[in-house]
Amino acid sequence: MSNLIDPHAKPLPSLSARHIDPHSYPDGVAFLDGQYLSMSQAKISVLDWGFLHSDATYDTVHVWDGRFFRLDLHLDRFFGGLEKLHMTIPFDRDGVAEILHNCVALSGHRAAYVEMLCTRGASPTFSRDPRDAVNRFMAFAVPFGSVANAEQLQRGLHVAISDKVRIPPASVDPTIKNYQWLDLVRGLYDAYDRGAETALLLDFNGNVAEGPGFNVFCVDDGKLSTPAVGVLPGITRRTVFDLCAEAGLAVAAADVSVAALRQSDEVFIASTAGGIMPVTMIDGVPVADRKVGAITRRLMAIYWQKHEDPAWCSPVRHP
Ligand code: PLP
């Protein structure tokens, strides 16, 4: 099935005349109900289960210097989540990709944070049976955002380890990218209370899991490890594995204890929202000598180099 919207056929008047409220919404373009809209116009029903029950899945890919980075992997994960949640959308992979390209092209952003999502939707009869709901696909492109700001990228993030346990995989399958974020948000408040900038949550066994919007890696004796279970299989995490394979670095998915993390030579986090970002303080204690480590720096450099490599990215198509 192809994309139901033909951007050539549609004049997109709402875009040229779009109303941007700079105080409420970032400048961007959304796709909703067959139309391309400004972010302030993109609204959903309060009856949508995506809102009422967090019954939704999504994926976020970024565009850097006019190119999508590893879009295919994000589409794979998104369509995998739809299938696991028994959701259907009226677009296939090419249709979704076309909508994402259009959102970015119409937004004019060269560096963008691009989200595709599907909510359960609402049941026309307000029935409690999820099979009665009409699933809703949406997408949007807004300016690129990062977990770490420029200063934090330079000197490393300060994180706190929260005592909140990341929701276990037996409850919510973390391979389905989801908005189950209350644990992560509570962890963030713990971190702020303790003077840190972001949080790491533990898994149900007390090992390190992940943080609000990122996976975590530690480096010990030149070898990298990242939590194996109870975490979203991040595309940036996967990219770190791919970069390590190219660079001849050893990397493993394994349990990471809190003690091991604290004693690491280097720690970094990984997310589409910022890439590879160093961590130099944990609970107010420096990681090693508190400097961004050599392996972290090397991976950060090659991660961004890959954003110019046609094998890893695809230019935004303009309708
Ligand atoms: N873990 C969680 C809970 C996330 O929400 C995200 C991204 O939003 C990540 C990890 C990192 O995943 P990715 O590298 O695909 O952005």
Side-chain angles (χ1 to χ4, degrees), residues 80-297:
L82 290 176
E83 197 178 332
K84 289 176 201 160
L85 290 177
H86 304 275
M87 288 178 176
T88 51
I89 60 171
F91 307 103
D92 62 8
R93 279 175 69 98
D94 289 348
V96 170
E98 188 181 337
I99 291 167
L100 301 180
H101 276 270
N102 288 342
C103 285
V104 180
L106 293 164
S107 76
H109 297 315
R110 300 272 307 161
Y113 181 93
V114 188
E115 190 155 325
M116 61 201 100
L117 65 120
C118 183
T119 64
R120 183 70 57 195
S123 146
T125 59
F126 203 48
S127 109
R128 302 187 73 81
D129 186 336
R131 293 168 300 183
D132 295 337
V134 182
N135 303 158
R136 299 193 76 194
F137 171 78
M138 304 159 221
F140 60 83
V142 290
F144 180 81
S146 172
V147 175
N149 63 31
E151 183 201 327
Q152 292 162 340
L153 285 172
Q154 200 60 39
R155 55 123 161 106
L157 281 154
H158 298 174
V159 307
I161 299 178
S162 166
D163 60 1
K164 306 296 176 296
V165 172
R166 184 68 176 123
I167 194 162
S171 304
V172 173
D173 177 354
T175 67
I176 305 170
K177 192 165 155 72
N178 62 74
Y179 295 123
Q180 225 77 42
W181 268 55
L182 289 189
D183 47 3
L184 297 169
V185 172
R186 292 175 73 213
L188 268 178
Y189 277 95
D190 287 345
Y192 301 149
D193 284 348
R194 286 148 61 184
E197 294 157 339
T198 191
L200 278 172
L201 272 69
L202 304 182
D203 70 14
F204 43 93
N205 291 320
N207 293 313
V208 178
E210 62 186 343
F214 53 82
N215 294 113
V216 59
F217 284 79
C218 57
V219 185
D220 207 15
D221 273 342
K223 296 195 187 85
L224 289 86
S225 40
T226 190
V229 295
V231 298
L232 174 77
I235 305 299
T236 321
R237 176 180 181 269
R238 150 92 190 259
T239 299
V240 170
F241 277 77
D242 294 341
L243 297 178
C244 285
E246 276 194 21
L249 292 165
V251 57
D255 285 347
V256 174
S257 70
V258 172
L261 188 83
R262 292 192 197 284
Q263 286 155 20
S264 297
D265 300 329
E266 301 180 31
V267 175
F268 63 84
I269 61 169
S271 171
T272 296
I276 294 168
M277 296 163 277
V279 171
T280 48
M281 292 270 272
I282 301 176
D283 290 333
V285 178
V287 174
D289 62 0
R290 201 180 168 166
K291 297 204 178 94
V292 177
I295 290 180
T296 306
R297 279 197 190 287

